[in-house]
Amino acid sequence: MEHLLRAELRTATLRPFGSPGAGCISEGRAYDTDAGPVFVKVNRRTQVRPPPPGPSTGAAGPRLQGRAVLFPSQASRLGEQMAELHLHNQRLKDRCREEESTLGRRAEGATYVSRFGFHTVTCCGFIPQVNEWQDDWPTFFARHRLQAQLDLIEKDYADREARELWSQLQVKIPDLFCGLEIVPALLHGDLWSGNVAEDDVGPVIYDPASFYGHSEFELAIALMFGGFPRSFFTAYHRKIPKAPGFDKRLLLYQLFNYLNHWNHFGQGYRSPSLGTMRKLLK
């Protein structure tokens, strides 16, 4: 593998540091290279399509690579940085409007992204995610996140109750977004506590499944599987307050994560998946 890494990274230096770590799905390794430290995610499943390198958030947001140590003490700072990341595209939109309204001025630098999706397929765990651009967020989320997961469940389990609940739920999804203006935000896409740490500079996030989507999507898994400290959410919502209907949409976004875990880890996640669908139908 090191020969492949040297070729792909175009580096003469490839020196491992730290201890290799393994999660439930993939293992991680860290190397020093000619260009600096890199984090390498390794998965040996034949169906895995490697995702592209995670996008850097620059000075306004947390770094997506680094020597990870541990988390909680930086929770508030990370909440602020994630909000800044989610607001970045909104600010580009506002700046673009302002410059377009000023005669003789033209927007320069980063470009506002007006649609939902991503320029390439990404992976959440070992499952590839289609990110074809859509103008409408509910359509993107229902088609490329929920329907995609339920198609896999149908293929592997042919679960009749899941099929019946989904047929009722999918027609109600647009109602959860009535009156809501959603500006595409660049998301990490899999921001659970296992993908967050800190180093001597500050918070570190890694292993992204990035795309442009609704900022609220990011918070669903952050509340699951151990969750983040309350200070993370307090700091986040100081910059991005909860919109009306937030709690019901949070359930919808948690449904995606339960379905994704059902497809990764089996029927132990069937009950929370179906239970969440029933709550959403009430």
Side-chain angles (χ1 to χ4, degrees), residues 48-222:
V48 173
R49 175 174 177 172
S56 171
T57 65
R63 291 152 298 115
L64 289 167
Q65 52 194 1
R67 287 180 168 86
V69 184
L70 67 130
F71 179 42
S73 64
Q74 296 282 350
S76 178
R77 186 176 175 191
L78 180 63
E80 292 176 357
Q81 291 179 332
M82 292 309 301
E84 287 293 320
L85 173 62
H86 293 165
L87 289 168
H88 180 67
N89 196 47
Q90 172 72 63
R91 289 168 177 160
L92 287 177
K93 179 183 180 181
D94 295 342
R95 191 181 74 183
C96 185
R97 283 178 175 171
E98 179 184 339
E99 293 183 346
E100 285 177 352
S101 66
T102 304
L103 188 64
R105 292 186 64 186
R106 196 175 85 179
E108 296 179 357
T111 305
Y112 165 63
V113 176
S114 62
R115 307 177 78 192
F116 302 95
F118 210 51
H119 64 279
T120 188
V121 170
T122 53
C123 288
C124 191
F126 60 73
I127 297 176
Q129 297 189 132
V130 173
N131 291 312
E132 293 175 355
W133 296 103
Q134 296 283 336
D135 294 320
D136 175 62
W137 167 249
T139 299
F140 176 91
F141 182 69
R143 180 180 300 168
H144 295 315
R145 293 299 180 265
L146 295 181
Q147 184 68 66
Q149 292 288 335
L150 284 154
D151 285 347
L152 293 174
I153 288 167
E154 178 65 23
K155 177 183 175 183
D156 292 341
Y157 302 101
D159 192 292
R160 185 179 69 180
E161 189 172 2
R163 191 185 317 126
E164 291 174 350
L165 287 169
W166 175 236
S167 69
Q168 299 172 56
L169 178 60
Q170 60 183 326
V171 297
K172 295 181 177 294
I173 288 175
D175 296 341
L176 299 176
F177 298 92
C178 285
L180 199 65
E181 180 187 4
I182 302 174
V183 175
L186 179 60
L187 307 179
H188 174 282
D190 192 18
L191 195 71
W192 72 292
S193 56
N195 286 342
V196 178
E198 65 182 59
D199 62 12
D200 54 358
V201 178
V204 179
I205 60 176
Y206 43 85
D207 200 9
S210 294
F211 64 100
Y212 281 88
H214 188 193
S215 58
E216 291 178 357
F217 174 87
E218 196 92 282
L219 302 181
I221 197 168

